[in-house]
C-alpha cells in the first residue's frame, strides 16, 4: 500500500532509480526483504491512461494490468509511446515540463497519483534502468552501487558491504569487479557499466524494476548477461522492459504489450504475441513487415 | 489474464516487402508441389493395381525418389529460414507445419510405392475379386489429401476439420476388407498370397488417410494457431475450430 510506502521508506527503502531521487528522511536499518505489496493485486493496474506533452497526446486510453513477479515487455516502433508509458509507472514523466496525464495507475491497488503521494517515494519502490548506462563518473564502483543507500543515511558498514556484494552478484557483475571495487565506475566496459547501474537500482531493493532499452548499446555477451539477470530477478521483482529487440522480448518476458501511435494495440502472453497474435498490426510488427 | 486488443489507429502502414520473402514463397511452392506429386503417386499406384499395369506401377516406384528429394529440400529451406530469418507468428507456424507436412507427404509417397510394388506382383496373377472397395478407399483418401492441401492454399479450416472426421470412414472400410479377405483365405487357401497383398494395400490406404488427417490438423494449426490433435473437435460432428 502506498500508505505503507512511506513507512517502508522510513524503514530503509531508498530511491531505486539508477539515477537516485532526492534524499528524504534518513532511514535507520533497511529491511532485509522488499515489501511487494498484496500478492493478490497486480503490480500495476492502469486504467484509461492518457499522457500529454502540452497538447500532444503521447499515450491514449491505455488499460492494462501487469502481474506481480513477472516480466512484461513493451514493444512498438519509435515514437509509439513505450518509454513515455514506462515513465508514468514511477512518475518520472513529471520531470518533463508540460507533461501531464489523465486516468489512474494503481500499484498493488493503491493510486500512484493520489493527492499527498510523494513522487520520490514512488520512485524508491519503482526503480528504473535507462538505455544509456549512467554511472556517476566521480564515484568508484562501490560508491556507485551504494549511493542510494548512503543518500538515505544508511551508515551500517556491514549492511553496506553485504548489500554491495548482493547487488553486484544479482547484476552478475561481482566476479568481474570484486577486485576493482575502488576503481572508477566509468573505467568499466559498456556492458559492465550497464550492469553496475542495474546493481545500483537493485541495491535499494525496489519492488518493481523498469528497464528502458537496457541492452540497446550492449554486445551479445553483455546482453545475454542482462537477460539472464532479468530471468533471475523476476523471482523477487516485477520487471517491465521496453525493447526494440523482438527476440529479447520473446526470450525474456512473460507478457508483451504492443504499442502503436500511443495506443495499446495488443497485450497478451508473450507466446501468443509471437506465435499467434490476434491483431494483424501486431503480426506485421513482430515479423518485421511493418513500414 | 486474457489477450487485450484494440483496433490499430488509421494510417497503419501496409505490410512491407522484405528481401527474403521469395524464400518463403519458394518454400510454399515446394510444399504444394510435394502434395500434388504425392497425390499423383497414390492415384497412379491404384490405377496400376486396377488395370494390372506393371509398367505404370514401375513408374510410380521410380518416381518415389522425387518426393524424397523434395522432403530433404523442404527441411533444408525450413532450417535455413529459421536460422537466418528468425520467423515468428504465422511464418513460424508455416515453417514448422511445412516440415511436418512434408514428412507426412513423403510417407504417403512410400505407401504409394508399397502399393505399386504389390500391384506389380498381383499383375502376374488373376484378380482375387473385382476391385471395388480399394478404389473407393483410395478415392476417399485422395479427397482427404486434396482437402487438407486446399486448406494450405486457401485457409479453409472447415474442410480440413471434415478431413479429420472422414478418417473413421476409411478405417471402417479397411476393417470390412480385412474380414472379407480373411474369409477368402479360410475358404480357399490358394488365395492367401493375393489376399495378403490386398490386405497390405488396404492398410496402406488407411495409412494414407491417417497422413491426410495429420496434414489437415497441421493446416488448421497453421491457419488458426490452434492445436486440434486428439481433441474432441476432430472427433465430434459439427462444431467450428
Amino acid at each position: 500500500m502506498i500508505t505503507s510506502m512511506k513507512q517502508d521508506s522510513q524503514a530503509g527503502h531508498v530511491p531505486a532509480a539508477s539515477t537516485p531521487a532526492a534524499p528524504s528522511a534518513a532511514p535507520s536499518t533497511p529491511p532485509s526483504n522488499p515489501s511487494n505489496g498484496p500478492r493478490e493485486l497486480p503490480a500495476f493496474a492502469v486504467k484509461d491512461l492518457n499522457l500529454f506533452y502540452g497538447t500532444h497526446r503521447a499515450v491514449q486510453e491505455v488499460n492494462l494490468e501487469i502481474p506481480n513477479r513477472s516480466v512484461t515487455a513493451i514493444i512498438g516502433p519509435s515514437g509509439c509511446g513505450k518509454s513515455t508509458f514506462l515513465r508514468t509507472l514511477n512518475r518520472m514523466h513529471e520531470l518533463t515540463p508540460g507533461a501531464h496525464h489523465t486516468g489512474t495507475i494503481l500499484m498493488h491497488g493503491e493510486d500512484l497519483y493520489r493527492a499527498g503521494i510523494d513522487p520520490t517515494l514512488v520512485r524508491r519502490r519503482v526503480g528504473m534502468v535507462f538505455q544509456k548506462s549512467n554511472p556517476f563518473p566521480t564515484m568508484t564502483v562501490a560508491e556507485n552501487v551504494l549511493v542510494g543507500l548512503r543518500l538515505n543515511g544508511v551508515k551500517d558498514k556491514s549492511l553496506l558491504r553485504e548489500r554491495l556484494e548482493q547487488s553486484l552478484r544479482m547484476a552478475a557483475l561481482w566476479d568481474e569487479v570484486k577486485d576493482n571495487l575502488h576503481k572508477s565506475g566509468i573505467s568499466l566496459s559498456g556492458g559492465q557499466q550497464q550492469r553496475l547501474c542495474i546493481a545500483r537500482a537493485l541495491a535499494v531493493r525496489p519492488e518493481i524494476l523498469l528497464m528502458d532499452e537496457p541492452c540497446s548499446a550492449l554486445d551479445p555477451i553483455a546482453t545475454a548477461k542482462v537477460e539472464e539477470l532479468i530471468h533471475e530477478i523476476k523471482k523477487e521483482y516485477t520487471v517491465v522492459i521496453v525493447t526494440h529487440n523482438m527476440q529479447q522480448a520473446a526470450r525474456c518476458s512473460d507478457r508483451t504489450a504492443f504499442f502503436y501511435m500511443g495506443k495499446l494495440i495488443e497485450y497478451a502472453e508473450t507466446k501468443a504475441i509471437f506465435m499467434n497474435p490476434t491483431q494483424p498490426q501486431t503480426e506485421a510488427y513482430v515479423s518485421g513487415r511493418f513500414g | 489474464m486474457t489477450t487485450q486488443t484494440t483496433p490499430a489507429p488509421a494510417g497503419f502502414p501496409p505490410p512491407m516487402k522484405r528481401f527474403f520473402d521469395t524464400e518463403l514463397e519458394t518454400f510454399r511452392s515446394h510444399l504444394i508441389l510435394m502434395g500434388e506429386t504425392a497425390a499423383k503417386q497414390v492415384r497412379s499406384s491404384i490405377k496400376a493395381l486396377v488395370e494390372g499395369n506393371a509398367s505404370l506401377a514401375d513408374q510410380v516406384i521410380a518416381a518415389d525418389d522425387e518426393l524424397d528429394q523434395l522432403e530433404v529440400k523442404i527441411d533444408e529451406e525450413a532450417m535455413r529460414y529459421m536460422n537466418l530469418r528468425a520467423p515468428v507468428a504465422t511464418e513460424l507456424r508455416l515453417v514448422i507445419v511445412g516440415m511436418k507436412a512434408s514428412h507426412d507427404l513423403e510417407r504417403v509417397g512410400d505407401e504409394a510405392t508399397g502399393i505399386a510394388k504389390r500391384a506389380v506382383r498381383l499383375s502376374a496373377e488373376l484378380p482375387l475379386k473385382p476391385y471395388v472397395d480399394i478404389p473407393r478407399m483410395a478415392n476417399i483418401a485422395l479427397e482427404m489429401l486434396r482437402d487438407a492441401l486446399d486448406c494450405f492454399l486457401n485457409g479453409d479450416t472447415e474442410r480440413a476439420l471434415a478431413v479429420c472426421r472422414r478418417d473413421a470412414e476409411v478405417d471402417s472400410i479397411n476393417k470390412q476388407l480385412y474380414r472379407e479377405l480373411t474369409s477368402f483365405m479360410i475358404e480357399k487357401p490358394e488365395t492367401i498370397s493375393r489376399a495378403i497383398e490386398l490386405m497390405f494395400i488396404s492398410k496402406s490406404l488407411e495409412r494414407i488417410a491417417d497422413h491426410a488427417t495429420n496434414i489437415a490438423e497441421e493446416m488448421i494449426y497453421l491457419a488458426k494457431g490452434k492445436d486440434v490433435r486428439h481433441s474432441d473437435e476432430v472427433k465430434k460432428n459439427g462444431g467450428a475450430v
Side-chain angles (χ1 to χ4, degrees):
Chain A
M1 290 172 61
I2 303 287
T3 45
S4 69
M5 184 182 285
K6 198 158 193 173
Q7 291 160 4
D8 285 350
S9 71
Q10 285 165 347
H13 271 83
V14 286
S18 65
T19 305
S24 62
S28 51
T29 308
S32 56
N33 289 305
S35 162
N36 281 285
R39 295 285 182 274
E40 69 277 11
L41 293 169
F44 289 111
V46 178
K47 293 176 185 170
D48 303 324
L49 181 73
N50 290 281
L51 190 288
F52 299 84
Y53 290 120
T55 55
H56 171 64
R57 188 158 64 148
V59 173
Q60 300 180 33
E61 293 298 326
V62 168
N63 288 279
L64 86 170
E65 285 190 357
I66 294 174
N68 275 313
R69 286 183 168 80
S70 66
V71 179
T72 301
I74 301 176
I75 60 172
S78 297
C80 72
K82 308 181 295 290
S83 295
T84 300
F85 170 74
L86 194 73
R87 294 163 77 89
T88 62
L89 299 180
N90 70 348
R91 300 183 62 166
M92 286 284 282
H93 72 282
E94 293 178 339
L95 302 175
T96 306
H100 61 283
H101 81 287
T102 60
T104 57
I105 298 179
L106 306 180
M107 184 172 122
H108 298 134
E110 288 292 314
D111 189 349
L112 278 187
Y113 290 87
R114 184 165 55 82
I117 298 290
D118 181 350
T120 60
L121 296 181
V122 174
R123 290 170 207 144
R124 286 179 184 183
R125 297 180 68 181
V126 187
M128 194 157 190
V129 176
F130 300 92
Q131 183 175 5
K132 191 174 179 304
S133 56
N134 52 1
F136 294 114
T138 57
M139 292 186 187
T140 66
V141 170
E143 287 166 346
N144 260 288
V145 175
L146 298 174
V147 64
L149 290 165
R150 285 192 165 133
L151 278 170
N152 284 274
V154 178
K155 289 176 181 161
D156 182 335
K157 283 190 178 172
S158 65
L159 175 75
L160 290 170
R161 210 165 29 244
E162 177 193 318
R163 196 62 70 82
L164 173 67
E165 182 173 341
Q166 272 178 358
S167 306
L168 286 169
R169 279 192 188 282
M170 284 189 82
L173 191 58
W174 175 253
D175 288 339
E176 294 166 52
V177 301
K178 64 184 175 191
D179 298 324
N180 297 305
L181 293 171
H182 300 293
K183 279 192 175 177
S184 166
I186 57 168
S187 67
L188 302 179
S189 72
Q192 288 173 326
Q193 286 186 31
Q194 187 65 313
R195 280 179 284 147
L196 177 64
C197 293
I198 293 171
R200 187 171 67 192
L202 295 175
V204 294
R205 301 283 176 89
E207 294 171 30
I208 295 160
L209 196 59
L210 309 179
M211 305 178 104
D212 192 355
E213 296 186 54
C215 301
S216 62
L218 303 187
D219 69 21
I221 296 167
T223 298
K225 286 182 176 174
V226 172
E227 289 180 4
E228 189 66 27
L229 160 70
I230 292 169
H231 183 71
E232 279 302 309
I233 64 175
K234 81 168 183 181
K235 293 168 190 162
E236 289 184 52
Y237 296 87
T238 302
V239 178
V240 186
I241 178 171
V242 165
T243 179
H244 274 133
N245 182 333
M246 295 298 103
Q247 275 69 48
Q248 182 170 65
R251 281 192 298 266
C252 295
S253 68
D254 302 300
R255 297 183 65 77
T256 296
F258 170 55
F259 277 71
Y260 179 66
M261 288 175 72
K263 283 192 172 180
L264 175 63
I265 304 299
E266 188 164 355
Y267 178 49
E269 283 185 12
T270 296
K271 189 177 81 172
I273 292 284
F274 287 94
M275 284 300 290
N276 194 21
T278 58
Q279 293 293 303
Q281 293 82 10
T282 311
E283 169 133 10
Y285 185 73
V286 297
S287 58
R289 290 179 179 276
F290 179 95
Chain B
M1 214 177 287
T2 54
T3 299
Q4 292 171 232
T5 59
T6 308
F12 195 89
M16 187 173 68
K17 182 84 179 157
R18 301 166 310 178
F19 68 90
F20 51 86
D21 282 347
T22 50
E23 293 172 16
L24 218 51
E25 283 310 309
T26 305
F27 179 77
R28 282 173 62 89
S29 65
H30 281 151
L31 197 61
I32 293 164
L33 175 62
M34 203 174 173
E36 287 170 352
T37 308
K40 184 181 158 202
Q41 287 283 86
V42 175
R43 238 182 339 264
S44 298
S45 66
I46 295 299
K47 189 165 189 268
L49 171 74
V50 173
E51 295 177 357
N53 187 340
S55 160
L56 180 59
D58 285 337
Q59 286 174 34
V60 171
I61 295 162
D64 187 48
D65 192 44
E66 193 183 333
L67 278 176
D68 294 346
Q69 293 307 315
L70 274 170
E71 185 196 20
V72 171
K73 190 177 282 186
I74 284 172
D75 276 1
E76 279 174 3
E77 288 168 349
M79 292 298 287
R80 178 187 151 78
Y81 199 85
M82 283 199 283
N83 198 12
L84 301 181
R85 311 302 181 206
V88 295
T90 306
E91 284 183 11
L92 178 59
R93 299 203 301 274
L94 170 62
V95 174
I96 291 169
V97 158
M99 287 178 84
K100 293 175 83 172
S102 78
H103 180 68
D104 277 308
L105 290 168
E106 192 273 335
R107 295 295 303 148
V108 168
D110 286 348
E111 298 294 350
T113 303
I115 294 170
K117 285 177 179 169
R118 294 179 196 287
V120 171
R121 290 196 286 272
L122 286 168
S123 69
E125 300 184 53
L126 286 172
L128 182 62
K129 63 186 246 352
Y131 295 125
V132 176
D133 290 325
I134 284 180
R136 186 155 68 97
M137 272 179 89
N139 280 339
I140 297 170
L142 281 166
E143 280 172 17
M144 290 169 68
L145 198 56
R146 184 200 60 206
D147 287 352
L149 293 168
D150 275 357
C151 180
F152 180 61
L153 292 172
N154 57 29
D156 185 349
T157 54
E158 283 308 307
R159 278 174 75 181
L161 198 56
V163 169
C164 304
R165 294 183 188 130
R166 284 194 86 179
D167 190 35
E169 205 178 324
V170 178
D171 291 349
S172 165
I173 302 173
N174 180 43
K175 281 179 189 163
Q176 178 195 318
L177 255 175
Y178 259 57
R179 283 195 298 271
E180 191 181 341
L181 291 167
T182 304
S183 63
F184 263 100
M185 289 190 283
I186 292 166
E187 286 168 20
K188 295 181 183 174
E190 69 273 19
T191 64
I192 286 176
S193 64
R194 279 175 289 166
I196 286 175
E197 297 285 18
L198 291 175
M199 275 183 171
F200 276 111
I201 289 172
S202 174
K203 183 66 186 168
S204 284
L205 290 170
E206 190 268 334
R207 291 294 302 141
I208 289 168
D210 286 347
H211 289 300
T213 304
N214 289 349
I215 294 168
E217 289 168 347
E218 286 150 12
M219 295 311 161
I220 291 169
Y221 179 67
L222 171 61
K224 300 275 185 184
K226 186 173 181 183
D227 191 346
V228 297
R229 290 176 300 172
H230 317 297
S231 70
D232 288 341
E233 280 162 304
V234 298
K235 293 171 193 162
K236 288 176 188 168
N237 289 323
V241 180

